[in-house]
């Protein structure tokens, strides 16, 4: 078994290393040319070694420019392709097939999104060339039940051909200004170039993906995913974010200030008057809470006194009625005689009963009156506390309004500084995979190459990766980006400190013997970002508790709508939270399931046997609908070859042309970017 992998040499943090004093544009041109150099090395060996001995084999693979996987919520893949070329009679007649799926969407929670999937385009040939092209696709024009997609997929070109030189397939496609899930991920532009030949002397598959720039997560979109927005953050948190993201120059430009750090802004806003008004509002809130508790207690005591008084009141009323009746019956009767009439005895008893009921009633009535008086006092105190609280809040708001000429400019400047700032933006992603299978393992090869020009976190440039960085350096830069982003998010709430994870250049390459067949597999994914939702209700309470008393947002800040919340609500991704400052139970649109973003995936596979065989091994190019896309596993069938080798080695010429086109694309983009930067 032989494994050939092009792994980088140096990581640039700020200034590049590894090529000495060579300029950036020249260095990137050299890096782009590595794909061609490596490919020619892989192709030349099998071509010379086979000495024209015919064989059978296959070539194929799969590519995805960008993909999102949020489980049952949504799965999405853009510019997804799969190719398969074979001259093995065991698989039928020699055939070349190229399939392009411009857009694939699947959602279990919102099945209406499934209708947005664009039909695949396929070319298939068993002889003459089959060529197809696609028309420009404006994603924003699709009838979307939620604003999931924007941007354009430009016309693509697909070709399949079978002739004496083998089964061949190729594809070229680009996209521009892509936006996904209302801004969770955006791609400036991207392109795909690939070619594959299953030839009589070797099988080779090549793929190249270029992304000029991708913003994987911007700050505001991330906050929307956890039910927040910038106006829900305290001013101290906002200024900490600006300092941590290196955006002080942007803030100064927007506000006309000359701050050395954003936190200095707090001293301009937290004046003694504002501090005193804030303290008064806090004290008034505490007094109101105390008065409310006193009133609640007095109300309970009054209810108890009323309950005790009610039966005594009933007994007194009954005794009074009996006394009145007895008095009426004894009217005109002389009760002072030695033998008084019976009415006099009844009257005397009624009077005694009344006196007894009155004796029971009077203390209960006195207790009730006392409780009622206490209740009235508590109610008055609560009304007074409420008036004091309203006045304190009004004083604070009026003070802020008075400062609005300065404060609103400052707050708007702070928010605009952070609005849509990238938590992670990767520029100049270039990946390629080449798998060549020939008569022997030694004459075959599998290789991946990758380069990133810049990784930006807000206003901070972490540098990039040259095409020869080591695996350890790749992992170190990915870990640095992950750690830095989570540290920034932790400033908002500690519960956000493990929200995201980034991986760069996930790749594998292998050349192995399977019976008489040589199999070559090369796969690379430029970028993988995983978002794992935290305790969303806890995050909301953490953030809202930092705002001024009575406030659920910063005063004077109005943000334009951002579709992320609408998309999540439409997808049914919401949580019920009991949140301070909101209603008792608030329905909050937020991400409730892990989300994985994948960019620039290229898998190439090939197999070959030089002599006629009874067992043929082909390679499964992988599932094009899987954005994570690992290279496929070999499968086995039986048969014997029947395609004779005739003519010159046009396969090498074709692949050389394909690789030169790929290298030209890489070189053109890097030089154009270098000129732009100058």
């Amino acid at each position: 078994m032989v494994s050939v992998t092009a792994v980088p040499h140096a990581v640039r943090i700020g200034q590049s290393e590894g090529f000495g004093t060579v300029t950036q544009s020249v260095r990137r041109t050299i890096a782009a040319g590595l794909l061609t150099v490596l490919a020619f090395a892989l192709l030349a060996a099998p071509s010379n070694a086979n000495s024209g001995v015919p064989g059978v084999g296959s070539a194929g693979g799969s590519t995805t420019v960008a993909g999102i996987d949020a489980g049952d919520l949504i799965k999405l893949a853009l510019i997804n392709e799969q190719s398969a070329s074979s001259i093995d009679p065991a698989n039928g007649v020699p055939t070349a097939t190229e399939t392009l799926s411009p857009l694939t969407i699947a959602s279990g929670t919102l099945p209406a999104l499934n209708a947005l999937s664009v039909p695949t385009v396929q070319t298939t040939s068993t002889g003459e060339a089959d060529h197809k092209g696609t028309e420009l696709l404006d994603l924003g024009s699709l009838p979307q039940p939620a604003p999931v997609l924007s941007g354009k997929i430009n016309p693509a070109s697909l070709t399949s051909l079978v002739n004496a030189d083998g089964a061949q397939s190729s594809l070229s496609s680009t996209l521009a200004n892509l936006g996904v899930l209302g801004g969770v991920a955006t791609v400036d532009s991207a392109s795909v170039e690939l070619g594959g030949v299953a030839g009589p002397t070797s099988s080779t598959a090549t793929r190249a993906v270029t992304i000029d720039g991708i913003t994987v997560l911007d700050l505001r979109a991330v906050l929307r995913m956890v039910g927040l927005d910038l106006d829900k953050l305290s001013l101290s948190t906002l200024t900490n974010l600006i300092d941590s993201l290196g955006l002080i120059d942007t803030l100064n430009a927007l506000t006309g200030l000359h701050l050395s750090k954003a936190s200095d802004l707090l001293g301009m806003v937290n004046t003694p008057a504002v501090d005193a008004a804030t303290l008064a509002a806090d004290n008034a809130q505490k007094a109101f809470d105390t008065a409310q508790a006193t009133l609640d207690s007095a109300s309970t005591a009054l209810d108890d006194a009323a309950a005790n008084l009610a039966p005594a009141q009933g007994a007194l009323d009954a005794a009074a009625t009996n006394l009145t009746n007895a008095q009426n019956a004894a009217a005109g009767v002389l009760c002072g005689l030695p033998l008084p009439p019976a009415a006099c005895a009844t009257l005397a008893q009624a009077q005694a009963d009344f006196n007894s009921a009155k004796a029971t009633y009077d203390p209960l009535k006195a207790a009730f009156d006392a409780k009622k008086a206490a209740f009235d006092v508590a109610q008055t105190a609560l009304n007074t506390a409420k008036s004091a609280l309203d006045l304190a809040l009004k004083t604070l708001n009026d003070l802020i309004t008075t400062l609005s000429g300065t404060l609103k400019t400052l707050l708007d400047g702070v928010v605009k500084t952070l609005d849509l700032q990238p938590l992670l933006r990767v520029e100049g992603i270039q990946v390629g995979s080449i798998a060549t299978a020939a008569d022997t393992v030694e004459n075959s090869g599998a290789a991946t190459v990758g380069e990133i020009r810049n990784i930006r976190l807000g206003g901070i440039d972490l540098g990039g990766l040259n095409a020869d960085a080591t695996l350890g350096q790749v992992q170190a830069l990915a870990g640095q980006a992950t750690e830095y982003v989570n540290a920034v998010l932790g400033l908002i709430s500690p519960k956000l400190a493990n929200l995201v994870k980034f991986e760069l250049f996930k790749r594998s390459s292998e050349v192995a013997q399977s019976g008489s067949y040589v199999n070559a597999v090369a796969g690379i994914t430029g970028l993988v970002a995983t978002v794992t939702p935290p305790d969303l209700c806890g995050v909301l309470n953490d953030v809202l508790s930092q705002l001024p008393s009575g406030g659920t947002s910063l005063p004077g800040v109005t943000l334009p709508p951002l579709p992320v919340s609408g998309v999540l609500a439409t997808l049914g991704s919401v949580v019920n939270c009991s949140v301070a400052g909101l209603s008792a139970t608030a329905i909050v649109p937020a991400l409730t399931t892990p989300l994985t973003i994948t960019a620039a995936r290229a898998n190439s596979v090939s197999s070959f046997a030089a002599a006629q065989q009874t067992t043929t091994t082909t390679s499964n190019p992988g599932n094009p609908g899987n954005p994570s896309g690992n290279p496929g596993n070999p499968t086995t069938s039986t048969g014997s070859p029947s395609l004779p080798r005739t003519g010159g080695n046009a396969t090498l010429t074709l692949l050389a042309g394909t690789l030169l086109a790929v290298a030209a694309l890489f070189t053109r983009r890097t030089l154009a970017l270098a000129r732009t930067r100058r």
Side-chain angles (χ1 to χ4, degrees):
M1 179 182 297
V2 174
S3 177
V4 180
T5 302
V7 283
H9 167 73
V11 179
R12 294 188 292 113
I13 304 297
Q15 298 296 323
S16 300
E17 299 174 359
F19 282 99
T21 60
V22 182
T23 65
Q24 286 188 357
S25 60
V26 174
R27 183 166 56 248
R28 290 171 188 156
T29 302
I30 294 173
L34 289 178
L35 179 61
T36 305
V37 174
L38 180 59
F40 272 115
L42 293 177
L43 286 170
S47 177
N48 295 333
N50 285 332
S51 302
V53 178
V56 297
S58 62
S62 61
T63 307
T64 303
V65 170
I68 284 184
D69 187 347
D72 195 51
L73 201 64
I74 188 171
K75 289 184 174 67
L76 180 150
L78 282 153
I79 303 190
N80 195 24
E81 72 80 29
Q82 176 176 322
S83 68
S85 300
S86 173
I87 59 170
D88 189 342
N91 297 327
V93 298
T95 304
T97 300
E98 180 63 56
T99 304
L100 172 65
S101 299
L103 170 63
T104 303
I105 295 183
S107 174
T109 59
L110 188 61
L113 284 176
N114 300 346
L116 297 181
S117 295
V118 177
T120 61
V121 180
Q122 185 177 85
T123 58
T124 300
S125 172
T126 57
E128 295 296 325
D130 182 13
H131 175 78
K132 287 187 176 68
T134 65
E135 297 181 353
L136 183 144
L137 174 61
D138 185 348
L139 299 174
S141 67
L142 298 175
Q144 305 178 46
V148 175
L149 291 167
S150 62
K152 296 179 180 179
I153 298 179
N154 296 317
S157 175
L158 299 79
T159 300
S160 297
L161 169 66
V162 176
N163 58 18
D165 294 321
Q168 310 158 26
S169 60
S170 64
L171 178 143
S172 176
S173 181
T174 63
L175 59 79
N177 301 320
L178 170 70
V180 181
L181 292 184
V184 171
T186 58
V187 178
D188 298 347
S189 62
S191 65
V192 174
E193 301 284 343
L194 63 91
V197 176
T201 58
S202 66
S203 296
T204 297
T206 66
R207 277 166 169 75
V209 181
T210 299
I211 298 179
D212 287 344
I214 176 171
T215 298
V216 183
L217 298 168
D218 68 58
L219 179 59
R220 191 168 163 212
V222 169
L223 292 178
R224 281 292 194 181
M225 289 168 61
V226 295
L228 292 169
D229 211 332
L230 291 173
D231 62 347
K232 296 294 189 293
L233 304 183
S234 68
L235 185 56
S236 61
T237 299
L238 292 172
T239 55
N240 285 337
L241 289 174
I242 290 174
D243 286 335
S244 297
L245 290 171
L247 299 172
I248 186 60
D249 291 340
T250 304
L251 176 63
N252 285 334
L254 288 172
T255 61
L257 300 174
H258 301 282
L259 303 173
S260 60
K261 57 183 183 299
S263 56
D264 292 342
L265 190 63
L266 296 176
M268 302 176 61
V269 176
N270 294 333
T271 64
V274 173
D275 291 341
T278 301
L279 179 61
D282 289 339
N283 290 335
Q285 181 69 56
K286 294 176 182 177
F288 175 81
D289 293 341
T290 299
Q292 182 67 63
T294 301
L295 178 65
D296 292 342
S297 178
S299 178
T300 299
L302 182 62
D303 290 341
D304 292 341
N308 294 332
L309 182 62
Q313 180 72 59
L316 181 62
D317 291 342
T321 299
N322 291 336
L323 178 60
T324 299
N325 292 336
Q327 288 173 340
N328 291 335
V333 176
L334 296 176
C335 294
L337 299 176
L339 294 174
C344 293
T346 301
L347 176 61
Q349 183 61 48
Q351 184 66 57
D353 291 343
F354 176 81
N355 293 339
S356 176
K358 185 71 166 58
T360 301
Y361 170 82
D362 286 343
L364 293 176
K365 179 62 167 63
F368 174 82
D369 291 342
K371 300 301 183 185
K372 179 63 167 61
F375 176 82
D376 291 341
V377 170
Q379 182 67 65
T380 301
L382 179 65
N383 293 338
T384 301
K386 178 65 165 61
S387 298
L389 176 60
D390 291 342
L391 179 61
L393 291 175
K394 183 177 184 301
T395 300
L396 177 60
N397 290 330
D398 287 347
L399 182 58
I400 291 175
T401 301
T402 302
L403 296 173
S404 62
T406 300
L407 182 60
K408 188 177 187 306
T409 299
L410 296 179
L411 289 177
D412 283 347
V414 170
V415 172
K416 288 178 181 178
T417 299
L418 292 169
D419 190 20
L420 303 182
Q421 283 293 331
L423 276 178
L424 180 73
R425 176 171 171 79
V426 184
E427 298 174 337
I429 302 178
Q430 301 174 348
V431 301
S433 63
I434 307 172
T436 296
D439 56 340
T440 66
V441 168
E442 290 72 17
N443 290 331
S444 305
T448 61
V449 293
E451 181 181 14
I452 290 176
R453 188 176 73 252
N454 280 319
I455 295 180
R456 290 181 51 221
L457 305 172
I460 298 175
D461 189 347
L462 294 184
L465 294 169
N466 293 316
D468 57 350
T470 65
L471 177 61
Q473 291 167 326
V474 171
Q475 293 174 340
L477 185 57
Q480 183 183 11
T482 298
E483 182 179 356
Y484 195 93
V485 168
N486 285 326
V488 169
L489 294 174
L491 297 174
I492 300 172
S493 167
K495 297 179 179 65
L496 295 177
N498 295 298
L499 183 69
V500 298
K501 178 183 179 182
F502 301 114
E503 298 174 272
L504 302 173
F505 294 154
K506 295 182 63 177
R507 53 180 156 189
S508 62
S509 59
E510 182 178 69
V511 178
Q513 190 84 31
S514 177
S516 298
Y517 280 77
V518 176
N519 296 309
V521 178
I524 183 170
T525 300
L527 171 68
V528 179
T530 303
V531 180
T532 303
D535 173 8
L536 298 171
C537 297
V539 170
L540 288 173
N541 278 293
D542 281 352
V543 170
L544 295 180
S545 66
Q546 300 177 42
L547 291 172
S549 297
T552 59
S553 63
L554 289 174
V557 176
T558 302
L559 292 169
L562 193 66
V564 176
S565 296
V567 172
L568 292 171
T570 304
L571 290 173
S573 185
V574 297
V575 294
N576 292 322
C577 290
S578 296
V579 181
L582 301 180
S583 58
T585 301
I587 298 177
V588 182
L591 184 69
T592 58
T593 184
L595 179 145
T596 300
I597 302 171
T598 305
R601 180 181 63 84
N603 294 328
S604 298
V605 295
S606 62
S607 66
F608 186 82
Q612 294 188 2
Q613 306 292 330
T614 58
T615 301
T616 301
T617 302
T618 60
S619 294
N620 174 12
N623 180 5
N626 176 11
S628 62
N630 294 322
N633 296 321
T635 58
T636 302
S637 58
T638 58
S640 58
S642 61
L643 184 67
R645 175 74 176 103
T646 60
N649 191 355
T651 301
L652 179 58
T653 303
L654 174 64
L655 288 174
T658 300
L659 291 164
L660 285 172
V662 172
L665 174 69
F666 278 21
T667 304
R668 175 173 59 82
R669 290 183 181 276
T670 52
L671 290 176
L673 287 169
R675 287 193 297 271
T676 300
R677 291 168 69 92
R678 287 198 296 268

